[in-house]
Amino acid sequence: MLDNSARYSSIALAKEIESPENPEGLEKRVALIPSDVGLLVQAGIKVYVECGAGDGVGFSDDEYLKNNAIMQTAEDIYVNKSLIIKFKGPALASVEQMSEGCTLFCMAHFHSYPDRAKLLQDKRINVIAMEEICDSPKHEPDHKILARVAMNAALIPFINEQSIGDLQVRVIGWSERLRGGIKRAGNRSAASLQVIQPTLAFDELDAVGPNALYFYDSQSFNDQQDILLQLHNAGTHIFDLSEFEREHGQQAMSAYRDSHPPQEFGLRRIQCLHETGQAGARYGLSLLKERKPSVDVANIKAVILGYGNVGQGALDELHQQGVKHIHILGRAQTAKESIGYWLKDVDIVINGAEQPSELRGKNFLISNQHVKELIPDNSVIIDLVGGSATNRSPVEPVIGCSFLTQPYFIQDGVLISSLWGWPMMGMMRETAVRYSGQITDVLIGREKLIDGLDKLTPGVKLALVCGPF
């Protein structure tokens, strides 16, 4: 039995092959790219790399060799290794090759594959799930706090007047600077929340008057003064993020940080959630164009469930593709008595809303009845939360994930895709590079996972889903 209480002196980097979540082996990303392997070797770690591990995303064995990796065959890569790293969870046959007491570091999705979970437990394999590692303590950049406190200032009059439930919030454009404001508006249960194109004419705006708020950033929206004047003259509320930043920014952010000490845990450390949203939205629009060839993308009815990192990525993509009005649904809009209004005549729905584990399989935001009765034929639902029969999505038709082998299915005329196989969108190499940098940082940077199981930081200890053995 291997002893993982000491520092890991070696790492095995395994190739992606067919596994429960990778049918036919079509997921080809690699968890560590050659240059990051070089950083690990410089840190005094021996790195074994399975032959061909990076081929699928354009990294050759020669590149790994130049970074002082030790190349091994598939037959040897799992044998007598104390720390095994791969991107997706392993094949069952690969688990059988692992030594008792070793540590597997991967996107484990442990509770979605109970047969494999039991095998790993029976084999006494420690499993650290990449997707479960969290920032600790939570860190929030200034731009997110700025947009949050600015949106809060914009909404306070309506909250104080108890008219927030009638307010229609419109955010003009999408940018990283506006992201935090969108999330704050979603949390405040306004009547509706949309992101609209900066190029819309006044007569295309669907909310004007005292029950509407237009939130914008003049830093990137400075050539539409006529529309702003028309909105002002109509009694519509307008709020400029940049103006708030100049007049109150530093003071408001300092006050926020003073009154909100960092929480123990923050966001995922190893993630491409924004890119997941982007890729899912891109794929959904491609399906929509295929099934509705005459569709005008600018004028489609687009709905996003949730406003977290995945939802914001989808929002970013739809905005870039020119969709004029993007509806963002929070808790108020996804309530059973409300969501039907938003799903009626919809063209594309993108789900980025997670639910607590106790609600999975019990509370469905999009039901089979919605698909049958409200959502038109040839419309598209993209579920970016995924799931399995034991870990259900809030989209009722989705029993399990769809993969590259069959990326969507049709139910009652509606195309539905639950994408864990989202790299089909041509972002495999880019996301492999990003993931690799994050994984390397967790190994030898802030968290120093390489120091062993008995020295796990709080954010990594959360992710020890099997063990310690």
Side-chain angles (χ1 to χ4, degrees), residues 217-246:
D217 183 7
S218 58
Q219 180 173 300
S220 56
F221 179 73
N222 53 18
D223 56 353
Q224 298 289 329
Q225 294 304 311
D226 287 348
I227 288 182
L228 295 175
L229 180 60
Q230 288 175 289
L231 287 169
H232 177 76
N233 290 339
T236 305
H237 303 272
I238 54 179
F239 195 99
D240 177 12
L241 173 62
S242 289
E243 181 181 340
F244 178 86
E245 181 179 24
R246 288 190 300 270

Side-chain angles (χ1 to χ4, degrees), residues 319-333:
H319 180 257
Q320 286 189 52
Q321 298 251 9
V323 180
K324 289 182 179 179
H325 297 267
I326 307 166
H327 305 274
I328 304 158
L329 309 191
R331 187 172 299 171
Q333 293 82 23

Side-chain angles (χ1 to χ4, degrees), residues 16 31 42 63 78 83 95 99 103 128 135 141 181 191 206 234 258 265 276 291 322 328-329 364 398-399:
E16 297 307 309
Q42 288 173 30
E63 290 178 86
Y78 287 101
L83 179 60
V95 176
S99 301
T103 299
I128 298 176
D135 234 2
D206 66 350
D258 288 344
F265 300 111
T276 297
R291 302 293 291 208
I328 304 158
L329 309 191
F364 296 106
V398 174
I399 306 299

